[in-house]
Amino acid sequence: MAFPDDALGEDERVVLLGRPHWRLCLRPAGALLLVAAVAGFAAAVVRLQVWAPWAWALLGVLAGLAVTRTTVLPLVRWRCSHLLVTNLRFVVREGMGARQGLDVPIDRIDAVRVRSTTVERLLGCGTLALDVAGERLTFRHVPVVERVQARLHREIGRTGSARLGAAGTASGETQRTSLRGRAGTAVRERMGA
C-alpha cells in the first residue's frame, strides 16, 4: 500500500499511511452474495423452459452489471482511497479515475477529536474530526482512529516545537536573559541586598 513519493515534498516524510476501514467492504460482499443467490434462483426457475438458454444469458448479463455496480466499483473505490499523515500535512485521497483530495497543513490543525461507537470500538475504527481554521472536517471509518489521533498530536507538537525553536534562537535568548535579570533583581530586593 504505497503512496507515490512524487506527491511528497522534499523534506516531507510519511508518518502513517492507511485506507478506510475494511468494514466498508462488508456491504459489497453482501451484495455479491445476494446477486448470486437471486441469479441462481432465477436460473433454476427457468431451467425447464424452452427459452432457458436465452434467459440464462440475460440473467448473466444482468447479474454481471449488478455485481459491477454493487461490488466491484465500491471495492476498487475503497482500494484507491488513502489516508496519510506526514510530518507536514494530513492528506486524504479518494477516487479511481477522477481523484479528489484534501491536504491540511499540520500547523493549521487546532484540535483533533475522535468518536467511536461500541460496534466501531469492537471493529477497531471510528470517526476523526479535525478543527481547522474554525471549520470542522469529519472523516468516518478511520481504522485505529486513536493511533491516528496520537500521530497527529505528535506531529502537531513537533511542528510547534520547531516553530518555537526557530523563533527562540533569535529572540528567545535575549528574552530569557532579561527574564533572568528581572528574577535576580526581585530576589535581591526581597533579601534586602
PDB file of all heavy atoms in Angstrom, residues 68-99:
ATOM      1  N   THR A  68     -20.952  -5.587 -10.881  1.00  0.00           N
ATOM      2  CA  THR A  68     -20.031  -4.478 -11.156  1.00  0.00           C
ATOM      3  C   THR A  68     -20.434  -3.235 -10.381  1.00  0.00           C
ATOM      4  O   THR A  68     -19.588  -2.589  -9.750  1.00  0.00           O
ATOM      5  CB  THR A  68     -20.009  -4.159 -12.668  1.00  0.00           C
ATOM      6  OG1 THR A  68     -19.587  -5.329 -13.369  1.00  0.00           O
ATOM      7  CG2 THR A  68     -19.082  -3.014 -12.978  1.00  0.00           C
ATOM      8  N   ARG A  69     -21.713  -2.925 -10.383  1.00  0.00           N
ATOM      9  CA  ARG A  69     -22.209  -1.706  -9.713  1.00  0.00           C
ATOM     10  C   ARG A  69     -22.149  -1.806  -8.201  1.00  0.00           C
ATOM     11  O   ARG A  69     -21.779  -0.850  -7.526  1.00  0.00           O
ATOM     12  CB  ARG A  69     -23.650  -1.435 -10.174  1.00  0.00           C
ATOM     13  CG  ARG A  69     -24.371  -0.372  -9.402  1.00  0.00           C
ATOM     14  CD  ARG A  69     -24.492   0.881 -10.220  1.00  0.00           C
ATOM     15  NE  ARG A  69     -25.431   1.817  -9.636  1.00  0.00           N
ATOM     16  CZ  ARG A  69     -25.077   2.727  -8.749  1.00  0.00           C
ATOM     17  NH1 ARG A  69     -23.852   2.808  -8.351  1.00  0.00           N
ATOM     18  NH2 ARG A  69     -25.971   3.561  -8.276  1.00  0.00           N
ATOM     19  N   THR A  70     -22.537  -2.959  -7.646  1.00  0.00           N
ATOM     20  CA  THR A  70     -22.672  -3.059  -6.187  1.00  0.00           C
ATOM     21  C   THR A  70     -21.449  -3.636  -5.492  1.00  0.00           C
ATOM     22  O   THR A  70     -21.314  -3.468  -4.283  1.00  0.00           O
ATOM     23  CB  THR A  70     -23.892  -3.914  -5.812  1.00  0.00           C
ATOM     24  OG1 THR A  70     -23.717  -5.234  -6.332  1.00  0.00           O
ATOM     25  CG2 THR A  70     -25.171  -3.303  -6.341  1.00  0.00           C
ATOM     26  N   THR A  71     -20.565  -4.308  -6.225  1.00  0.00           N
ATOM     27  CA  THR A  71     -19.424  -4.944  -5.575  1.00  0.00           C
ATOM     28  C   THR A  71     -18.086  -4.436  -6.103  1.00  0.00           C
ATOM     29  O   THR A  71     -17.248  -3.958  -5.332  1.00  0.00           O
ATOM     30  CB  THR A  71     -19.492  -6.478  -5.737  1.00  0.00           C
ATOM     31  OG1 THR A  71     -20.723  -6.935  -5.177  1.00  0.00           O
ATOM     32  CG2 THR A  71     -18.346  -7.153  -5.024  1.00  0.00           C
ATOM     33  N   VAL A  72     -17.870  -4.530  -7.397  1.00  0.00           N
ATOM     34  CA  VAL A  72     -16.559  -4.212  -7.958  1.00  0.00           C
ATOM     35  C   VAL A  72     -16.219  -2.733  -7.781  1.00  0.00           C
ATOM     36  O   VAL A  72     -15.132  -2.399  -7.276  1.00  0.00           O
ATOM     37  CB  VAL A  72     -16.490  -4.637  -9.443  1.00  0.00           C
ATOM     38  CG1 VAL A  72     -15.185  -4.178 -10.067  1.00  0.00           C
ATOM     39  CG2 VAL A  72     -16.650  -6.139  -9.574  1.00  0.00           C
ATOM     40  N   LEU A  73     -17.111  -1.845  -8.188  1.00  0.00           N
ATOM     41  CA  LEU A  73     -16.817  -0.407  -8.081  1.00  0.00           C
ATOM     42  C   LEU A  73     -16.577   0.051  -6.637  1.00  0.00           C
ATOM     43  O   LEU A  73     -15.607   0.771  -6.385  1.00  0.00           O
ATOM     44  CB  LEU A  73     -17.920   0.413  -8.747  1.00  0.00           C
ATOM     45  CG  LEU A  73     -17.979   0.317 -10.275  1.00  0.00           C
ATOM     46  CD1 LEU A  73     -19.147   1.128 -10.815  1.00  0.00           C
ATOM     47  CD2 LEU A  73     -16.682   0.769 -10.892  1.00  0.00           C
ATOM     48  N   PRO A  74     -17.421  -0.341  -5.653  1.00  0.00           N
ATOM     49  CA  PRO A  74     -17.118   0.073  -4.270  1.00  0.00           C
ATOM     50  C   PRO A  74     -15.779  -0.481  -3.748  1.00  0.00           C
ATOM     51  O   PRO A  74     -15.067   0.212  -3.031  1.00  0.00           O
ATOM     52  CB  PRO A  74     -18.293  -0.487  -3.466  1.00  0.00           C
ATOM     53  CG  PRO A  74     -19.408  -0.573  -4.426  1.00  0.00           C
ATOM     54  CD  PRO A  74     -18.767  -0.933  -5.734  1.00  0.00           C
ATOM     55  N   LEU A  75     -15.428  -1.706  -4.137  1.00  0.00           N
ATOM     56  CA  LEU A  75     -14.157  -2.270  -3.674  1.00  0.00           C
ATOM     57  C   LEU A  75     -12.959  -1.561  -4.312  1.00  0.00           C
ATOM     58  O   LEU A  75     -11.950  -1.306  -3.639  1.00  0.00           O
ATOM     59  CB  LEU A  75     -14.100  -3.774  -3.944  1.00  0.00           C
ATOM     60  CG  LEU A  75     -15.018  -4.628  -3.081  1.00  0.00           C
ATOM     61  CD1 LEU A  75     -14.933  -6.096  -3.490  1.00  0.00           C
ATOM     62  CD2 LEU A  75     -14.693  -4.465  -1.607  1.00  0.00           C
ATOM     63  N   VAL A  76     -13.082  -1.240  -5.591  1.00  0.00           N
ATOM     64  CA  VAL A  76     -12.000  -0.501  -6.251  1.00  0.00           C
ATOM     65  C   VAL A  76     -11.892   0.905  -5.664  1.00  0.00           C
ATOM     66  O   VAL A  76     -10.787   1.417  -5.437  1.00  0.00           O
ATOM     67  CB  VAL A  76     -12.221  -0.468  -7.783  1.00  0.00           C
ATOM     68  CG1 VAL A  76     -11.246   0.477  -8.466  1.00  0.00           C
ATOM     69  CG2 VAL A  76     -12.087  -1.868  -8.363  1.00  0.00           C
ATOM     70  N   ARG A  77     -13.029   1.535  -5.398  1.00  0.00           N
ATOM     71  CA  ARG A  77     -13.037   2.864  -4.774  1.00  0.00           C
ATOM     72  C   ARG A  77     -12.359   2.808  -3.399  1.00  0.00           C
ATOM     73  O   ARG A  77     -11.558   3.682  -3.052  1.00  0.00           O
ATOM     74  CB  ARG A  77     -14.482   3.357  -4.638  1.00  0.00           C
ATOM     75  CG  ARG A  77     -14.605   4.845  -4.585  1.00  0.00           C
ATOM     76  CD  ARG A  77     -16.063   5.300  -4.640  1.00  0.00           C
ATOM     77  NE  ARG A  77     -16.683   4.948  -5.909  1.00  0.00           N
ATOM     78  CZ  ARG A  77     -17.799   4.231  -6.034  1.00  0.00           C
ATOM     79  NH1 ARG A  77     -18.441   3.805  -4.976  1.00  0.00           N
ATOM     80  NH2 ARG A  77     -18.291   3.962  -7.226  1.00  0.00           N
ATOM     81  N   TRP A  78     -12.649   1.758  -2.616  1.00  0.00           N
ATOM     82  CA  TRP A  78     -12.013   1.586  -1.307  1.00  0.00           C
ATOM     83  C   TRP A  78     -10.510   1.389  -1.477  1.00  0.00           C
ATOM     84  O   TRP A  78      -9.719   1.961  -0.739  1.00  0.00           O
ATOM     85  CB  TRP A  78     -12.628   0.378  -0.592  1.00  0.00           C
ATOM     86  CG  TRP A  78     -11.930   0.012   0.660  1.00  0.00           C
ATOM     87  CD1 TRP A  78     -12.087   0.589   1.894  1.00  0.00           C
ATOM     88  CD2 TRP A  78     -10.938  -1.003   0.833  1.00  0.00           C
ATOM     89  NE1 TRP A  78     -11.263  -0.007   2.814  1.00  0.00           N
ATOM     90  CE2 TRP A  78     -10.547  -0.994   2.178  1.00  0.00           C
ATOM     91  CE3 TRP A  78     -10.348  -1.914  -0.027  1.00  0.00           C
ATOM     92  CZ2 TRP A  78      -9.581  -1.865   2.682  1.00  0.00           C
ATOM     93  CZ3 TRP A  78      -9.393  -2.788   0.474  1.00  0.00           C
ATOM     94  CH2 TRP A  78      -9.023  -2.744   1.816  1.00  0.00           C
ATOM     95  N   ARG A  79     -10.135   0.577  -2.449  1.00  0.00           N
ATOM     96  CA  ARG A  79      -8.716   0.278  -2.673  1.00  0.00           C
ATOM     97  C   ARG A  79      -7.936   1.522  -3.107  1.00  0.00           C
ATOM     98  O   ARG A  79      -6.752   1.651  -2.823  1.00  0.00           O
ATOM     99  CB  ARG A  79      -8.603  -0.807  -3.742  1.00  0.00           C
ATOM    100  CG  ARG A  79      -7.213  -1.203  -4.087  1.00  0.00           C
ATOM    101  CD  ARG A  79      -6.737  -2.294  -3.152  1.00  0.00           C
ATOM    102  NE  ARG A  79      -5.493  -2.843  -3.635  1.00  0.00           N
ATOM    103  CZ  ARG A  79      -4.329  -2.607  -3.046  1.00  0.00           C
ATOM    104  NH1 ARG A  79      -4.268  -1.892  -1.970  1.00  0.00           N
ATOM    105  NH2 ARG A  79      -3.233  -3.126  -3.530  1.00  0.00           N
ATOM    106  N   CYS A  80      -8.606   2.443  -3.795  1.00  0.00           N
ATOM    107  CA  CYS A  80      -7.950   3.656  -4.297  1.00  0.00           C
ATOM    108  C   CYS A  80      -8.010   4.828  -3.319  1.00  0.00           C
ATOM    109  O   CYS A  80      -7.600   5.932  -3.663  1.00  0.00           O
ATOM    110  CB  CYS A  80      -8.574   4.070  -5.624  1.00  0.00           C
ATOM    111  SG  CYS A  80      -8.263   2.904  -6.946  1.00  0.00           S
ATOM    112  N   SER A  81      -8.518   4.617  -2.119  1.00  0.00           N
ATOM    113  CA  SER A  81      -8.605   5.688  -1.117  1.00  0.00           C
ATOM    114  C   SER A  81      -7.434   5.583  -0.158  1.00  0.00           C
ATOM    115  O   SER A  81      -7.082   4.489   0.290  1.00  0.00           O
ATOM    116  CB  SER A  81      -9.917   5.586  -0.334  1.00  0.00           C
ATOM    117  OG  SER A  81     -11.005   5.759  -1.196  1.00  0.00           O
ATOM    118  N   HIS A  82      -6.829   6.722   0.148  1.00  0.00           N
ATOM    119  CA  HIS A  82      -5.686   6.766   1.062  1.00  0.00           C
ATOM    120  C   HIS A  82      -5.916   7.813   2.137  1.00  0.00           C
ATOM    121  O   HIS A  82      -6.475   8.873   1.873  1.00  0.00           O
ATOM    122  CB  HIS A  82      -4.400   7.138   0.321  1.00  0.00           C
ATOM    123  CG  HIS A  82      -3.945   6.106  -0.652  1.00  0.00           C
ATOM    124  ND1 HIS A  82      -3.293   4.969  -0.279  1.00  0.00           N
ATOM    125  CD2 HIS A  82      -4.069   6.046  -1.995  1.00  0.00           C
ATOM    126  CE1 HIS A  82      -3.020   4.251  -1.345  1.00  0.00           C
ATOM    127  NE2 HIS A  82      -3.488   4.885  -2.412  1.00  0.00           N
ATOM    128  N   LEU A  83      -5.451   7.503   3.327  1.00  0.00           N
ATOM    129  CA  LEU A  83      -5.420   8.443   4.442  1.00  0.00           C
ATOM    130  C   LEU A  83      -3.959   8.488   4.868  1.00  0.00           C
ATOM    131  O   LEU A  83      -3.371   7.444   5.152  1.00  0.00           O
ATOM    132  CB  LEU A  83      -6.292   7.938   5.582  1.00  0.00           C
ATOM    133  CG  LEU A  83      -6.354   8.849   6.770  1.00  0.00           C
ATOM    134  CD1 LEU A  83      -7.811   9.146   7.078  1.00  0.00           C
ATOM    135  CD2 LEU A  83      -5.706   8.193   7.954  1.00  0.00           C
ATOM    136  N   LEU A  84      -3.372   9.663   4.879  1.00  0.00           N
ATOM    137  CA  LEU A  84      -1.932   9.800   5.059  1.00  0.00           C
ATOM    138  C   LEU A  84      -1.631  10.910   6.050  1.00  0.00           C
ATOM    139  O   LEU A  84      -2.219  11.990   5.976  1.00  0.00           O
ATOM    140  CB  LEU A  84      -1.304  10.122   3.691  1.00  0.00           C
ATOM    141  CG  LEU A  84       0.169  10.390   3.594  1.00  0.00           C
ATOM    142  CD1 LEU A  84       0.944   9.101   3.767  1.00  0.00           C
ATOM    143  CD2 LEU A  84       0.489  11.004   2.246  1.00  0.00           C
ATOM    144  N   VAL A  85      -0.725  10.624   6.967  1.00  0.00           N
ATOM    145  CA  VAL A  85      -0.208  11.643   7.878  1.00  0.00           C
ATOM    146  C   VAL A  85       1.283  11.751   7.603  1.00  0.00           C
ATOM    147  O   VAL A  85       1.997  10.753   7.653  1.00  0.00           O
ATOM    148  CB  VAL A  85      -0.448  11.276   9.359  1.00  0.00           C
ATOM    149  CG1 VAL A  85       0.155  12.331  10.276  1.00  0.00           C
ATOM    150  CG2 VAL A  85      -1.928  11.107   9.641  1.00  0.00           C
ATOM    151  N   THR A  86       1.733  12.950   7.268  1.00  0.00           N
ATOM    152  CA  THR A  86       3.160  13.190   7.100  1.00  0.00           C
ATOM    153  C   THR A  86       3.609  14.140   8.199  1.00  0.00           C
ATOM    154  O   THR A  86       2.802  14.577   9.015  1.00  0.00           O
ATOM    155  CB  THR A  86       3.485  13.807   5.716  1.00  0.00           C
ATOM    156  OG1 THR A  86       3.044  15.153   5.692  1.00  0.00           O
ATOM    157  CG2 THR A  86       2.839  13.017   4.593  1.00  0.00           C
ATOM    158  N   ASN A  87       4.885  14.465   8.194  1.00  0.00           N
ATOM    159  CA  ASN A  87       5.373  15.402   9.197  1.00  0.00           C
ATOM    160  C   ASN A  87       4.918  16.835   8.916  1.00  0.00           C
ATOM    161  O   ASN A  87       5.053  17.696   9.779  1.00  0.00           O
ATOM    162  CB  ASN A  87       6.897  15.340   9.288  1.00  0.00           C
ATOM    163  CG  ASN A  87       7.568  15.665   7.975  1.00  0.00           C
ATOM    164  OD1 ASN A  87       7.040  15.405   6.898  1.00  0.00           O
ATOM    165  ND2 ASN A  87       8.753  16.229   8.056  1.00  0.00           N
ATOM    166  N   LEU A  88       4.324  17.082   7.740  1.00  0.00           N
ATOM    167  CA  LEU A  88       3.891  18.439   7.395  1.00  0.00           C
ATOM    168  C   LEU A  88       2.401  18.593   7.146  1.00  0.00           C
ATOM    169  O   LEU A  88       1.874  19.694   7.224  1.00  0.00           O
ATOM    170  CB  LEU A  88       4.638  18.921   6.142  1.00  0.00           C
ATOM    171  CG  LEU A  88       6.158  18.986   6.253  1.00  0.00           C
ATOM    172  CD1 LEU A  88       6.763  19.384   4.925  1.00  0.00           C
ATOM    173  CD2 LEU A  88       6.575  19.934   7.353  1.00  0.00           C
ATOM    174  N   ARG A  89       1.688  17.486   6.820  1.00  0.00           N
ATOM    175  CA  ARG A  89       0.276  17.628   6.469  1.00  0.00           C
ATOM    176  C   ARG A  89      -0.505  16.337   6.686  1.00  0.00           C
ATOM    177  O   ARG A  89       0.064  15.259   6.812  1.00  0.00           O
ATOM    178  CB  ARG A  89       0.114  18.108   5.024  1.00  0.00           C
ATOM    179  CG  ARG A  89       0.740  17.192   4.020  1.00  0.00           C
ATOM    180  CD  ARG A  89       0.797  17.820   2.655  1.00  0.00           C
ATOM    181  NE  ARG A  89       1.631  16.986   1.801  1.00  0.00           N
ATOM    182  CZ  ARG A  89       1.353  16.685   0.560  1.00  0.00           C
ATOM    183  NH1 ARG A  89       0.269  17.172  -0.006  1.00  0.00           N
ATOM    184  NH2 ARG A  89       2.149  15.936  -0.150  1.00  0.00           N
ATOM    185  N   PHE A  90      -1.835  16.515   6.711  1.00  0.00           N
ATOM    186  CA  PHE A  90      -2.789  15.408   6.762  1.00  0.00           C
ATOM    187  C   PHE A  90      -3.426  15.349   5.377  1.00  0.00           C
ATOM    188  O   PHE A  90      -3.938  16.346   4.880  1.00  0.00           O
ATOM    189  CB  PHE A  90      -3.839  15.685   7.839  1.00  0.00           C
ATOM    190  CG  PHE A  90      -4.921  14.651   7.911  1.00  0.00           C
ATOM    191  CD1 PHE A  90      -4.699  13.441   8.536  1.00  0.00           C
ATOM    192  CD2 PHE A  90      -6.159  14.897   7.342  1.00  0.00           C
ATOM    193  CE1 PHE A  90      -5.699  12.490   8.601  1.00  0.00           C
ATOM    194  CE2 PHE A  90      -7.167  13.953   7.399  1.00  0.00           C
ATOM    195  CZ  PHE A  90      -6.929  12.741   8.040  1.00  0.00           C
ATOM    196  N   VAL A  91      -3.385  14.175   4.732  1.00  0.00           N
ATOM    197  CA  VAL A  91      -3.796  14.048   3.332  1.00  0.00           C
ATOM    198  C   VAL A  91      -4.858  12.966   3.206  1.00  0.00           C
ATOM    199  O   VAL A  91      -4.714  11.879   3.769  1.00  0.00           O
ATOM    200  CB  VAL A  91      -2.588  13.679   2.440  1.00  0.00           C
ATOM    201  CG1 VAL A  91      -3.006  13.538   0.988  1.00  0.00           C
ATOM    202  CG2 VAL A  91      -1.466  14.678   2.594  1.00  0.00           C
ATOM    203  N   VAL A  92      -5.920  13.263   2.456  1.00  0.00           N
ATOM    204  CA  VAL A  92      -6.937  12.272   2.104  1.00  0.00           C
ATOM    205  C   VAL A  92      -7.053  12.297   0.586  1.00  0.00           C
ATOM    206  O   VAL A  92      -7.236  13.359  -0.011  1.00  0.00           O
ATOM    207  CB  VAL A  92      -8.305  12.600   2.748  1.00  0.00           C
ATOM    208  CG1 VAL A  92      -9.360  11.630   2.285  1.00  0.00           C
ATOM    209  CG2 VAL A  92      -8.189  12.584   4.251  1.00  0.00           C
ATOM    210  N   ARG A  93      -6.921  11.114  -0.044  1.00  0.00           N
ATOM    211  CA  ARG A  93      -7.081  10.982  -1.494  1.00  0.00           C
ATOM    212  C   ARG A  93      -8.129   9.912  -1.762  1.00  0.00           C
ATOM    213  O   ARG A  93      -8.064   8.829  -1.190  1.00  0.00           O
ATOM    214  CB  ARG A  93      -5.782  10.558  -2.167  1.00  0.00           C
ATOM    215  CG  ARG A  93      -4.686  11.574  -2.081  1.00  0.00           C
ATOM    216  CD  ARG A  93      -4.885  12.678  -3.107  1.00  0.00           C
ATOM    217  NE  ARG A  93      -3.757  13.565  -3.153  1.00  0.00           N
ATOM    218  CZ  ARG A  93      -3.654  14.690  -2.478  1.00  0.00           C
ATOM    219  NH1 ARG A  93      -4.626  15.056  -1.680  1.00  0.00           N
ATOM    220  NH2 ARG A  93      -2.601  15.453  -2.585  1.00  0.00           N
ATOM    221  N   GLU A  94      -9.081  10.203  -2.650  1.00  0.00           N
ATOM    222  CA  GLU A  94     -10.149   9.270  -2.990  1.00  0.00           C
ATOM    223  C   GLU A  94     -10.386   9.300  -4.485  1.00  0.00           C
ATOM    224  O   GLU A  94     -10.140  10.305  -5.132  1.00  0.00           O
ATOM    225  CB  GLU A  94     -11.453   9.653  -2.287  1.00  0.00           C
ATOM    226  CG  GLU A  94     -11.381   9.606  -0.795  1.00  0.00           C
ATOM    227  CD  GLU A  94     -12.645  10.129  -0.137  1.00  0.00           C
ATOM    228  OE1 GLU A  94     -13.297  11.025  -0.713  1.00  0.00           O
ATOM    229  OE2 GLU A  94     -12.975   9.639   0.936  1.00  0.00           O
ATOM    230  N   GLY A  95     -10.905   8.201  -5.002  1.00  0.00           N
ATOM    231  CA  GLY A  95     -11.329   8.155  -6.387  1.00  0.00           C
ATOM    232  C   GLY A  95     -10.506   7.224  -7.236  1.00  0.00           C
ATOM    233  O   GLY A  95      -9.368   6.904  -6.921  1.00  0.00           O
ATOM    234  N   MET A  96     -11.141   6.771  -8.326  1.00  0.00           N
ATOM    235  CA  MET A  96     -10.472   5.861  -9.254  1.00  0.00           C
ATOM    236  C   MET A  96      -9.929   6.644 -10.436  1.00  0.00           C
ATOM    237  O   MET A  96      -8.728   6.842 -10.545  1.00  0.00           O
ATOM    238  CB  MET A  96     -11.455   4.797  -9.741  1.00  0.00           C
ATOM    239  CG  MET A  96     -11.998   3.932  -8.637  1.00  0.00           C
ATOM    240  SD  MET A  96     -13.259   2.804  -9.217  1.00  0.00           S
ATOM    241  CE  MET A  96     -14.573   3.916  -9.670  1.00  0.00           C
ATOM    242  N   GLY A  97     -10.808   7.071 -11.334  1.00  0.00           N
ATOM    243  CA  GLY A  97     -10.378   7.841 -12.496  1.00  0.00           C
ATOM    244  C   GLY A  97     -10.189   9.298 -12.117  1.00  0.00           C
ATOM    245  O   GLY A  97      -9.101   9.852 -12.189  1.00  0.00           O
ATOM    246  N   ALA A  98     -11.261   9.926 -11.706  1.00  0.00           N
ATOM    247  CA  ALA A  98     -11.194  11.299 -11.222  1.00  0.00           C
ATOM    248  C   ALA A  98     -10.858  11.260  -9.735  1.00  0.00           C
ATOM    249  O   ALA A  98     -11.570  10.657  -8.951  1.00  0.00           O
ATOM    250  CB  ALA A  98     -12.532  11.999 -11.444  1.00  0.00           C
ATOM    251  N   ARG A  99      -9.740  11.843  -9.370  1.00  0.00           N
ATOM    252  CA  ARG A  99      -9.292  11.824  -7.978  1.00  0.00           C
ATOM    253  C   ARG A  99      -9.713  13.100  -7.273  1.00  0.00           C
ATOM    254  O   ARG A  99      -9.697  14.173  -7.852  1.00  0.00           O
ATOM    255  CB  ARG A  99      -7.766  11.703  -7.897  1.00  0.00           C
ATOM    256  CG  ARG A  99      -7.162  10.523  -8.571  1.00  0.00           C
ATOM    257  CD  ARG A  99      -7.122   9.307  -7.763  1.00  0.00           C
ATOM    258  NE  ARG A  99      -6.192   9.425  -6.656  1.00  0.00           N
ATOM    259  CZ  ARG A  99      -6.161   8.546  -5.681  1.00  0.00           C
ATOM    260  NH1 ARG A  99      -6.969   7.530  -5.683  1.00  0.00           N
ATOM    261  NH2 ARG A  99      -5.324   8.662  -4.691  1.00  0.00           N
TER     262      ARG A  99
END
